Structure formats: C-alpha cells, structure tokens
Amino acid sequence: MVAREMTIDPEIQYFLDEMKAGWAKHPSFGTLSFPEQRAVSEQVRARWAEGGPVMAETRELHFDAGAGELRIRIYRPEGVGTAAPALVYLHGGGFTLFSIDTHDRLMREYAEAGGFVVIGVDYPLSPEHKYPVALDRIEALILWLKDHGADWGVDPARLAMGGDSAGANLSFATALRLRARGEGCLIRAILSNYGYFSTEVSDEAEARFGGPGSIMDRAEARSYYANYLADWGRQSRDPLVCPMLADMTGMPPVFLVIPECDLLAEQSVAMGALLREQAVETEAKIYAGATHSFLEAMSVAQIARNAIDDGAQFVSRRLT
C-alpha cells in the first residue's frame, strides 16, 4: 500500500472523537442484542444525517419486487424531471447495522451533487436474515426497475448502483447476478465506497489500522461476515459473498473510493487491480487521512465533501 506514515485528517479525527463520545453514552455493544445495537447505532449517527440539501421530493414506501419486502426511499433533487437517471444506493453496516435513516444525508448529497434520483434501500439485515436473502431482494428490485422504473420517474436505461462497505459488496454481487442471467447491461456503473470484498484482512492492515480504539479491527470485520453467512466453510468461497473471488469480465465501469487509513483499504486496492486485469473500466482514488465511514463526516470534513462530489460526478458521467 502506501509507504509513508499516515496521519488521520484533523476534521475526520474530530468526527471520530465525537462518534466515540456518542458511543460512550450507551452500554457496550457486546452486552446488547442485535435490535438494541441497531437502535443505539441510529441514535449515535442521527446527528450526522441532519442538515444538507433539501429535495424537491422525497418518497418512502414499503415495496415487494417479488422476493420479499424492502423499505425504499426515493430522493429527487430540484431540476430533475421524469425519466431521470438513478443511483440505487445500499447503506453499509457490515450486513448487520444501519439503515436509510443513518445514510439519509449522504444519499441527499449524492442526489444534489449529481443531478440524479437516488433510490435508498433498506435491505434485510443479518444475522436474522442470512445470505442470500438481502441479495435476492436487491436483485429483484433492479429487475423490477427494468420494466417499471417509469412508475417512479426513473429511466431504466440509466441505472447505477453504489454503496459503502457491505453496501459496496452487495452492489458488486447484484451486478454479478444480473450478468449471469444476461441482464448485465442494466447497471451502467458501480460506485464503491470503502468496499468490503473478502473475509481476509491481512496482518499488516490489522497492525496499522486495527487494534484497540480503531474505528474497526479484524475481529469486528470478521464478525460481520459471520453474521451474514449460514455456512462459513462453504459460503466464504462464494464470489457473490466475497467479490474478490469473482470473474469481473464484462462488469460495468467502477469508481473505488479508498480511505488511506482504513482496515479495508487493501481490499479496494486489490479490487482495482483485479478489475483492470479483466479489462473493466476502473477509476480509483485514495483519500489521504481518511478512515472507514469518513463520508458520514460530510458536515464537518472537506475531504468527505470532496469524495462525495467525486462519486456523484462519476455516476453522472456514466448515466448521461
């Protein structure tokens, strides 16, 4: 990776310190049930989802595209009419936590900066819903949009997918599923924010970015995959679970947002190399001093705002 000594951006450090103070007001995660963990996560992150752009229209619905219900939130910025390009965005949280509420501002920022509709998806969380439940429902949504996107004021010929961490994983997995059924052309681009693509985290990454006090260490990262999988021994080798194991031939263009000071940065760097080896049009940018989840610091950190604008412009170019 990068040889020089890495220092966390001061504005990102402020965000991390404030997050840590928020977590300190609640019991340790290890003492909480999964529903309780999610409730605490929503409370701690609520502050960071406030403010930001006002949409011309925000519509929320519970919707079943044929594989089970999803909560959907559709963001339409000013100046965007019907038959609009759209980014389907999948929040992070290790397949276990977070929601379209924790990521509400981030999705509004993308809609405003890129001039496209954003469709936020609350997919079923683990461990209550194991692989491939979430993937099945997300794939069904994209296939529904192919035939019915106009019902939501969306052009089905101009769809992108994106997400952060586990959401990036699910974006790749959905595109791989669609390619396998001959529908790969449905997704015109993938926006991958600090993606989580493999169960493997190197000793070097753990030594540099994990350990006590880090935003995420190797044990926590692996625990999320353990929640997601029903059969670790078999499913951890499935390319739809670990996209680093996939044949990427014919995948849509990808933009990889890579925080320099992130336990999972090595996975995005490796993914970029894999994509280029298999002739996938790939853009990647390393954000110096940024950490995992740094986009959530958009209200206080210029580097987060820059990365959001970079991602929005990538999507906008691909959907023109």
Side-chain angles (χ1 to χ4, degrees):
M1 293 260 322
V2 182
R4 71 175 183 85
E5 187 66 26
M6 299 178 190
T7 303
I8 295 177
D9 179 278
E11 293 175 331
I12 298 299
Q13 187 61 61
Y14 169 78
F15 164 74
L16 296 176
D17 291 343
E18 290 293 294
M19 288 282 283
K20 186 178 294 185
W23 290 116
K25 297 175 184 178
H26 299 276
S28 169
F29 247 37
T31 67
L32 301 176
S33 68
F34 288 108
E36 289 169 337
Q37 290 179 11
R38 292 172 194 135
V40 169
S41 297
E42 297 282 333
Q43 292 174 41
V44 171
R45 279 176 152 76
R47 166 187 172 185
W48 307 101
E50 295 174 348
V54 176
M55 297 289 98
E57 178 187 29
T58 302
R59 178 184 176 195
E60 185 168 319
L61 64 153
H62 290 261
F63 175 75
D64 187 342
E69 188 174 273
L70 295 165
R71 183 166 69 123
I72 302 289
R73 189 173 294 159
I74 305 168
Y75 303 87
R76 186 177 302 275
E78 293 286 349
V80 175
T82 57
L87 168 67
V88 177
Y89 197 84
L90 308 174
H91 66 81
F95 312 103
T96 303
L97 305 169
F98 308 160
S99 70
I100 54 177
D101 296 321
T102 58
H103 284 59
D104 181 80
R105 178 167 178 175
L106 178 58
M107 293 187 287
R108 286 185 283 114
E109 294 281 358
Y110 276 128
E112 177 75 11
F116 45 72
V117 168
V118 173
I119 301 173
V121 182
D122 253 353
Y123 51 85
L125 297 176
S126 302
E128 296 91 336
H129 302 281
K130 299 283 192 178
Y131 169 80
V133 174
L135 180 58
D136 289 344
R137 296 190 192 184
I138 295 163
E139 179 192 26
L141 171 64
I142 302 299
L143 292 170
W144 184 89
L145 287 169
K146 172 190 174 184
D147 296 321
H148 305 285
D151 294 356
W152 292 353
V154 165
D155 181 356
R158 293 190 291 165
L159 296 177
M161 292 196 72
D164 52 280
S165 198
N169 175 304
L170 289 164
S171 296
F172 273 92
T174 303
L176 289 166
R177 274 264 193 100
L178 293 169
R179 185 191 65 180
R181 63 162 66 230
E183 298 282 9
C185 62
L186 286 177
I187 303 303
R188 296 266 297 269
I190 295 175
L191 171 61
S192 175
N193 295 324
Y194 30 89
Y196 190 18
F197 303 129
S198 171
T199 60
E200 300 302 317
V201 174
S202 73
D203 291 342
E204 179 185 1
E206 173 68 1
R208 299 186 79 178
F209 309 118
S214 63
I215 188 170
M216 180 170 63
D217 62 16
R218 179 162 55 187
E220 180 183 353
R222 287 176 65 88
S223 75
Y224 292 136
Y225 258 118
N227 289 341
Y228 187 45
L229 303 182
D231 182 343
W232 182 285
R234 177 175 58 85
Q235 293 175 333
S236 63
R237 305 301 300 171
D238 184 340
L240 297 179
V241 168
C242 295
M244 279 302 306
L245 303 175
D247 173 3
M248 291 291 173
T249 306
M251 289 286 275
V254 175
F255 179 49
L256 297 158
V257 171
I258 309 174
E260 181 186 43
C261 305
D262 179 15
L263 183 80
L264 301 184
E266 63 181 6
Q267 297 193 8
S268 285
V269 171
M271 176 60 80
L274 174 64
L275 291 165
R276 293 184 184 102
E277 286 170 6
Q278 299 183 5
V280 177
E281 192 172 343
T282 304
E283 299 178 36
K285 185 171 180 178
I286 295 176
Y287 293 84
T291 65
H292 202 76
S293 297
F294 81 105
L295 296 179
E296 295 178 59
M298 69 201 91
S299 62
V300 296
Q302 184 63 49
I303 194 171
R305 294 190 290 273
N306 292 346
I308 291 167
D309 189 63
D310 291 342
Q313 297 312 310
F314 165 79
V315 172
S316 183
R317 290 194 303 271
R318 296 302 171 184
L319 299 185
T320 299

